[in-house]
Amino acid sequence: MTSSTSLSRAWMRLPSGAHLDLINPSPDTWTDMDLAVRLSRTARWGGESALPLPLSVAQHSLLVLELRRMAASGPLSPEEELLEVLHDAEEGFLGFDCISPLKAVLGEPFRAVANRLMQVVAQRYELPPWTPERYRLHKQADLAAAASEAVHCVGWTHGEVRDILRIEAPIIDADPLAARYGGVPWAPWRLDVAAQRFHDVLQDACARRSTPQASDPQ
């Protein structure tokens, strides 16, 4: 039986020094840089990598955003960019990018904690609900990112991505992030670089949304 004492510190210390209660989170607890740093320190693929560094959730989030930008007929609205760049934000606070088969085993308690964290992220950044079309386009980009990361960053073969990971999305050869930022294609960024780039994109989207001309027409 779990005692109340063992649950007395269900909070984490953030880089800014603030404390985030993981069970009952508040949307005003963290700074944008707290989130950026935490996402840069959270590894994709269980930390496995065929390269010297693991891929961070921060870099993955920017890759998904870049793929959405490339597929769009025009510029994304600030709201759309925030939905993309923050789609895995709760993982930064959990410090854990849980693979889908393990999520099923961990069950409802894990889902509840993750969902509460994502709910306060949505509240903090005033994220609109996903529309069916936006979510469809998001999943296309997210799965293409996952398939490409698996091959270029982790070392899965094309056949394994299809047959074991069950991802049917196309595997991209040219790294969209290298086209924007430079550097070695598909190489995971240093933690400080990933944090700063994520932070810059997050703050830019928030700033553009605050101006009337940047509002997403509804």
Side-chain angles (χ1 to χ4, degrees), residues 106-117:
L106 294 177
E108 186 54 35
F110 178 82
R111 265 193 305 274
V113 171
N115 287 343
R116 278 196 296 270
L117 287 167

Side-chain angles (χ1 to χ4, degrees), residues 20-50:
L20 175 66
D21 186 333
L22 295 170
I23 306 302
N24 296 294
S26 171
D28 60 358
T29 303
W30 68 89
T31 67
D32 289 346
M33 186 54 83
D34 281 333
L35 178 57
V37 169
R38 289 294 309 169
L39 285 169
S40 75
R41 294 175 179 174
T42 303
R44 292 270 290 167
W45 303 99
E48 184 55 42
S49 179

Side-chain angles (χ1 to χ4, degrees), residues 9 11 17 29 50-51 67 96 103 112 120 125 128 136-137 139 143-144 156 161 178 180 182 192 205 211 213:
R9 195 189 69 81
W11 53 262
T29 303
L51 300 165
L67 290 172
F96 181 37
K103 281 183 184 178
V120 296
Y125 295 102
R136 183 185 68 81
L137 294 170
K139 288 307 296 182
L143 289 172
W156 293 81
V161 169
R180 180 172 290 272
D192 59 330
T211 61
Q213 64 268 27

Side-chain angles (χ1 to χ4, degrees), residues 158-216:
H158 286 61
E160 288 171 334
V161 169
R162 183 186 64 251
D163 299 334
I164 298 175
L165 297 180
R166 304 290 185 183
I167 301 175
E168 300 292 340
I171 295 166
I172 302 161
D173 290 327
D175 181 2
L177 293 180
R180 180 172 290 272
Y181 294 103
V184 178
W186 299 109
W189 299 334
R190 293 197 330 257
L191 272 61
D192 59 330
V193 172
Q196 190 61 58
R197 288 173 177 172
F198 182 96
H199 180 262
D200 291 347
V201 168
L202 175 60
Q203 291 220 310
D204 176 72
C206 289
R208 287 188 294 109
R209 185 181 56 184
S210 68
T211 61
Q213 64 268 27
S215 295
D216 184 24

